[in-house]
């Protein structure tokens, strides 16, 4: 039997056990009587053995039980026990009465100590299962409740986790007390919504949870009512407080993998609800496999950065008018020892969600700049464009890091181009303006990558020091047959030129597209027609073979 089961068994049979213990204690006292009698009477030391059952009785039966047993023990060793068996001399009444009083006191004190300990332990148990501020049951209590439900064999029930999305914001604008008061009001809302008395668990400062027993048909309606319950603002000291909630839930059944797992499923669903900005999301096994894939990739990426699995490839960019090879775009390649090539389209977005992206970008910057310095020494005078992610621009000291690398490799700022997507430019405009100004003062070229595909306004075009617009592949691929793409490309070229910027088209795969771009006045082209991304030595051979000038354009 495990410790917990043993405890449960003892708890269930506690009445019988108490009777049994009482009988044993009485037998013990009679045993002491016999011992004292046989060893010659109360004048010898053996009567002290009586303290054992007295202390035990206080421990088991509390103050009254201890005192009562003390009285009994006092009488057992009292009027009928001679001082000396051989002489037959009896005890004086005052003598045994004093002893009896002493026994009663010891029993009482033992009971008192035991009660105090017990209430202290209960207090500890309560504290471990409650949120001390709101007095709501906490995560431990929820796990305990889930284990109990599993034991009792309920069929299906929902574990619902409610996330108070603006909790941090409320905390910073209204203060701790207001948020805690709002949380205290949540149970009433939940009860009103589901119309049954249900405990609400506070599982962390911004999450509460309830367990719902509902058939499949009622589930949706019940959850909708729960979402609705938070639509009316909470009123705290007369201030209306709106709490934004997201809900994740999982259906747990008897054959679930344990209570922790069940709660975790609901929390994984919640993470998806937050990410997708949805009111409520039910757990699906695919969430976990996606997350595990992500974690596995992110886990091995750090290693890959250190042991040479990553490298940079370079794709030429050609000046359409002169045919000159203007520069290259540096593109990361990952050759995984087991999984083979992993596309940056797979691992870059995942790295962007973690702090690893700063290491990835550092790798790209360091390797591209080192390569560029070598090319320059061998007379290949081109620029290198490096892709920057939105997180990099928010990183403190990012611009300075680039300037230090330039210095280290003795490169001129003008030979470096940074490709930033529209979304990244819009993240935190004030900060971005400052960072990009530092870079542009060092003559580094800033280009807008994937132009035309982001959700953004055009205001960044005149607010930020942008020199190049890169028209996204999706507009270039079907040129000139696709009329819509033709219009967009022509408009982008006009817009860019009016603003004093250059235009590059990426994803140029066909001669016809290239010719169209030339006639539309587009400045540069990049794509499979010219060359796919190449390893450094391959690019060098390609460049030497064409003499730094793309042949088709002449
Ligand atoms: O080369 P490929 O088409 O597989 O690249 C897919 C995406 O990954 C592209 O959008 C490209 O911008 C991005 N990418 C490639 N290399 C890097 C890099 O070094 N840093 C960042 N941030 N993005 C990169
Ligand atoms: O988002 P970004 O511009 O960084 O993406 C560049 C990606 O586009 C590179 O990963 C590169 O492999 C890919 N690419 C470059 N030229 C072509 C092309 O002509 N056709 C297609 N389909 N992809 C291209
Ligand atoms: Mn790019």
């Amino acid at each position: 039997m495990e410790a917990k089961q043993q405890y449960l068994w003892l708890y269930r049979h506690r009445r019988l056990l108490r009777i049994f213990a009482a009988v044993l204690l009485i037998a013990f006292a009679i045993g002491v009587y016999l011992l004292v009698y046989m060893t010659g009477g109360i004048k010898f030391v053996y009567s002290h053995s009586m303290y054992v059952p007295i202390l035990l009785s206080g421990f088991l039966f509390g103050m009254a039980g201890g005192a009562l047993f003390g009285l009994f023990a006092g009488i057992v060793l009292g009027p009928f026990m001679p001082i000396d068996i051989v002489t037959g001399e009896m005890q004086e009444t005052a003598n045994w009465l004093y002893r009896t009083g002493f026994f009663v006191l010891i029993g009482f004190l033992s009971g008192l100590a035991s009660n105090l300990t017990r209430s202290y332990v209960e207090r500890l148990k309560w504290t471990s299962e409650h949120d001390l501020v709101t007095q709501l049951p906490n995560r431990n209590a929820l796990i305990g409740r889930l284990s109990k439900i599993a034991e009792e064999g309920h069929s299906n029930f929902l574990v619902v986790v409610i996330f108070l999305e603006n909790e941090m914001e409320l905390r910073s604008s209204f203060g701790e007390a207001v948020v805690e008061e709002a949380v205290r009001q949540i149970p009433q809302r939940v009860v009103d919504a589901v119309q049954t008395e249900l405990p609400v668990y506070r599982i962390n400062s911004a999450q509460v949870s309830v367990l719902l027993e509902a058939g499949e048909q009622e589930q949706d309606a019940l959850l909708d009512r729960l979402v609705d319950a938070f639509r009316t603002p909470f009123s705290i000291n007369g201030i209306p407080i709106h709490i934004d909630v997201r809900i994740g839930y999982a259906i747990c059944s008897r054959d679930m993998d344990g209570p922790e797992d069940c709660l975790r499923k609901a929390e994984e669903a919640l993470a998806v609800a937050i990410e997708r900005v949805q009111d409520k999301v039910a757990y699906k096994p695919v969430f976990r496999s996606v997350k595990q894939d992500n974690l596995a990739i992110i886990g091995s990426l750090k290693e890959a950065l250190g042991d040479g699995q990553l490298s940079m490839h370079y794709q030429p960019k050609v000046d359409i008018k002169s045919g000159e090879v203007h520069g290259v775009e540096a593109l990361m390649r990952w050759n995984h020892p087991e999984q083979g090539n992993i596309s940056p389209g797979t691992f870059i977005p995942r790295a962007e969600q973690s702090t690893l992206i700063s290491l990835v970008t550092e790798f790209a910057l360091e390797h591209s700049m080192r390569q560029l310095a070598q090319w320059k020494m061998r007379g290949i005078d081109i620029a290198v464009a490096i892709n920057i992610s939105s997180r990099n621009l928010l990183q403190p000291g990012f611009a300075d890091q680039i300037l230090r690398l330039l210095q280290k490799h003795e490169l001129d700022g003008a030979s470096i181009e940074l490709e930033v997507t529209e979304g990244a430019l819009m993240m935190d405009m004030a900060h971005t303006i400052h960072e990009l100004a530092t870079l542009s003062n060092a003559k580094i070229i800033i280009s807008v990558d994937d132009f035309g595909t982001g959700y953004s306004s055009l205001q960044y075009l005149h607010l930020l020091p942008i020199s190049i617009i890169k028209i996204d592949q999706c507009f270039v691929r079907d040129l000139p047959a696709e009329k819509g793409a033709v219009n967009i490309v022509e408009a982008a070229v006009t817009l860019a030129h009016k603003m004093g910027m250059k235009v590059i088209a990426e994803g140029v795969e066909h001669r016809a597209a290239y010719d169209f771009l030339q006639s539309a006045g587009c400045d540069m082209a990049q794509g499979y027609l010219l060359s796919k991304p190449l390893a450094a030595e391959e690019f060098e051979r390609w460049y030497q073979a064409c003499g730094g000038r793309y042949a088709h354009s002449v």
Side-chain angles (χ1 to χ4, degrees):
M1 257 199 288
E2 278 178 43
K4 196 169 159 193
Q5 281 170 318
Q6 282 171 1
Y7 176 81
L8 282 176
W9 186 88
L10 289 174
Y11 187 78
R12 236 174 271 139
H13 297 91
R14 62 192 181 283
R15 262 187 84 83
L16 202 69
L17 286 168
R18 283 163 77 89
I19 293 172
F20 184 61
V23 170
L24 271 185
L25 286 173
I26 290 169
F28 199 135
I30 293 168
V32 174
Y33 172 85
L34 292 175
L35 177 71
V36 173
Y37 194 88
M38 312 245 276
T39 50
I42 200 97
K43 77 174 184 185
F44 298 104
V45 76
Y46 300 99
S47 61
H48 291 276
S49 316
M50 196 56 104
Y51 287 119
V52 176
I54 296 173
L55 286 171
L56 278 175
S57 68
F59 177 74
L60 293 173
F61 300 103
M63 293 173 289
L68 199 66
F69 189 85
L71 181 67
F72 168 71
I75 292 168
V76 166
L77 294 185
F80 313 108
M81 175 62 78
I83 289 185
D84 192 330
I85 302 290
V86 182
T87 62
E89 183 191 353
M90 293 308 284
Q91 303 179 59
E92 279 176 34
T93 312
N95 183 55
W96 69 259
L97 272 183
Y98 181 82
R99 187 186 312 109
T100 304
F102 198 73
F103 280 1
V104 169
L105 183 66
I106 294 291
F108 175 82
L109 289 179
S110 155
L112 182 66
S114 148
N115 279 5
L116 288 177
T117 315
R118 205 164 300 165
S119 70
Y120 179 69
V121 168
E122 262 157 32
R123 175 80 202 154
L124 277 185
K125 184 167 150 52
W126 189 91
T127 325
S128 77
E129 291 184 341
H130 288 80
D131 172 50
L132 295 183
V133 187
T134 56
Q135 320 262 307
L136 293 177
N138 66 10
R139 193 182 187 92
N140 282 341
L142 176 61
I143 297 282
R145 180 71 198 126
L146 284 170
S147 322
K148 215 169 202 157
I149 288 178
E151 244 168 55
E152 287 165 4
H154 284 264
S155 50
N156 285 344
F157 58 94
L158 292 183
V159 179
V160 182
V161 177
I162 305 170
F163 174 57
L164 319 178
E165 191 156 43
N166 54 344
E167 186 251 6
M168 285 272 263
E169 193 191 352
L170 291 174
R171 202 173 280 276
S172 60
S173 22
F174 296 110
E176 193 98 6
V178 169
V179 175
E180 302 303 338
E181 183 49 39
V183 173
R184 257 189 284 262
Q185 291 182 14
I186 291 177
Q188 193 53 50
R189 296 250 166 157
V190 170
V191 169
D192 291 346
V194 302
Q195 287 173 358
T196 24
E197 197 69 39
L198 276 183
V200 171
Y201 299 83
R202 188 185 203 189
I203 56 179
N204 67 36
S205 79
Q207 273 172 231
V208 295
S209 174
V210 285
L211 303 178
L212 295 179
E213 220 172 325
E216 240 169 272
Q217 301 89 341
E218 312 149 76
Q219 263 172 34
D220 269 348
L222 213 53
L223 288 161
D224 282 340
R225 287 215 299 278
L226 215 47
V227 172
D228 276 341
F230 288 89
R231 299 229 199 267
T232 1
F234 287 70
S235 171
I236 290 138
N237 306 331
I239 315 169
I241 303 272
H242 174 74
I243 297 187
D244 273 323
V245 295
R246 306 262 170 246
I247 291 183
Y249 61 99
I251 299 168
C252 295
S253 53
R254 210 175 321 180
D255 43 326
M256 63 184 181
D257 298 331
E260 281 92 354
D261 186 63
C262 193
L263 178 56
R264 204 159 53 225
K265 282 179 181 164
E267 288 184 315
E268 281 168 33
L270 175 63
V272 175
I274 295 170
E275 194 183 307
R276 298 188 188 159
V277 202
Q278 286 177 354
D279 283 341
K280 58 180 186 6
V281 168
Y283 172 80
K284 292 192 192 74
V286 63
F287 294 167
R288 188 162 291 184
S289 62
V290 167
K291 199 163 128 202
Q292 280 168 353
D293 275 3
N294 276 347
L295 289 176
I297 287 200
I298 294 295
S300 49
L301 179 56
K302 179 131 196 214
E303 232 176 74
L305 277 163
D307 61 9
Q309 296 171 34
L310 294 178
S311 64
M312 302 308 292
H313 278 209
Y314 302 91
Q315 187 177 34
K317 295 176 174 185
V318 167
D319 186 292
I320 297 180
K321 240 186 231 129
S322 64
E324 214 171 291
V325 177
H326 160 83
V328 288
E329 175 175 5
L331 293 157
M332 194 167 281
R333 293 294 175 256
W334 182 358
N335 190 357
H336 193 279
E338 284 132 38
Q339 296 177 33
N341 287 328
I342 303 177
S343 155
T346 311
F347 69 85
I348 299 270
R350 293 170 194 195
E352 277 173 345
Q353 284 167 11
S354 78
T355 50
L356 262 187
I357 191 63
S358 59
L359 295 182
V360 169
T361 303
E362 193 181 313
F363 180 96
L365 287 166
E366 168 67 29
H367 283 250
S368 310
M369 289 199 200
R370 193 191 304 156
Q371 186 59 59
L372 183 62
Q374 285 177 14
W375 282 334
K376 288 219 183 266
M377 279 197 295
R378 280 181 243 147
I380 302 179
D381 191 20
I382 54 168
V384 166
I386 298 140
N387 290 287
I388 296 301
S389 69
S390 49
R391 267 222 188 198
N392 295 136
L393 285 174
L394 301 178
Q395 217 172 292
F398 180 65
D400 296 332
Q401 182 194 1
I402 294 186
L403 299 186
R404 271 199 306 278
L405 281 172
L406 276 178
Q407 230 172 21
K408 175 178 160 190
H409 294 287
E410 298 177 2
L411 288 170
D412 185 19
S415 57
I416 299 295
E417 207 179 293
L418 299 179
E419 296 192 8
V420 192
T421 58
E422 289 168 297
L425 293 171
M426 304 299 297
M427 290 275 277
D428 176 355
M429 198 65 116
H431 183 77
T432 308
I433 288 178
H434 178 259
E435 260 340 67
L436 292 187
T438 311
L439 293 166
S440 138
N441 287 340
K443 301 213 279 305
I444 291 171
I445 311 279
I446 311 294
S447 65
V448 183
D449 207 355
D450 307 338
F451 182 76
T453 58
Y455 301 96
S456 63
S457 73
L458 291 174
Q459 78 166 315
Y460 63 86
L461 282 184
H462 71 93
L463 287 179
L464 299 174
I466 289 161
S467 327
I468 301 181
I469 282 175
K470 267 192 107 172
I471 301 177
D472 192 72
Q473 323 191 354
C474 67
F475 303 113
V476 177
R477 206 172 300 132
D478 302 321
L479 286 177
E482 171 71 53
K483 237 3 291 111
V486 165
N487 291 335
I488 289 170
V489 171
E490 283 176 347
V493 170
T494 311
L495 174 69
H497 287 168
K498 280 223 157 130
M499 300 194 75
M501 301 169 186
K502 295 205 159 186
V503 190
I504 175 165
E506 57 178 344
V508 180
E509 295 185 358
H510 310 288
R511 184 68 218 212
Y514 190 90
D515 290 342
F516 169 80
L517 289 164
Q518 188 162 33
S519 69
C522 182
D523 302 285
M524 285 174 274
Q526 174 186 353
Y528 293 166
L529 174 70
L530 308 147
S531 166
K532 62 181 180 63
L534 302 168
E537 321 77 65
E538 282 179 307
F539 169 75
E540 220 171 308
R541 278 198 293 277
W542 179 90
Y543 184 88
Q544 306 292 10
C546 70
R549 201 166 278 271
Y550 175 59
H552 279 295
S553 62
V554 243

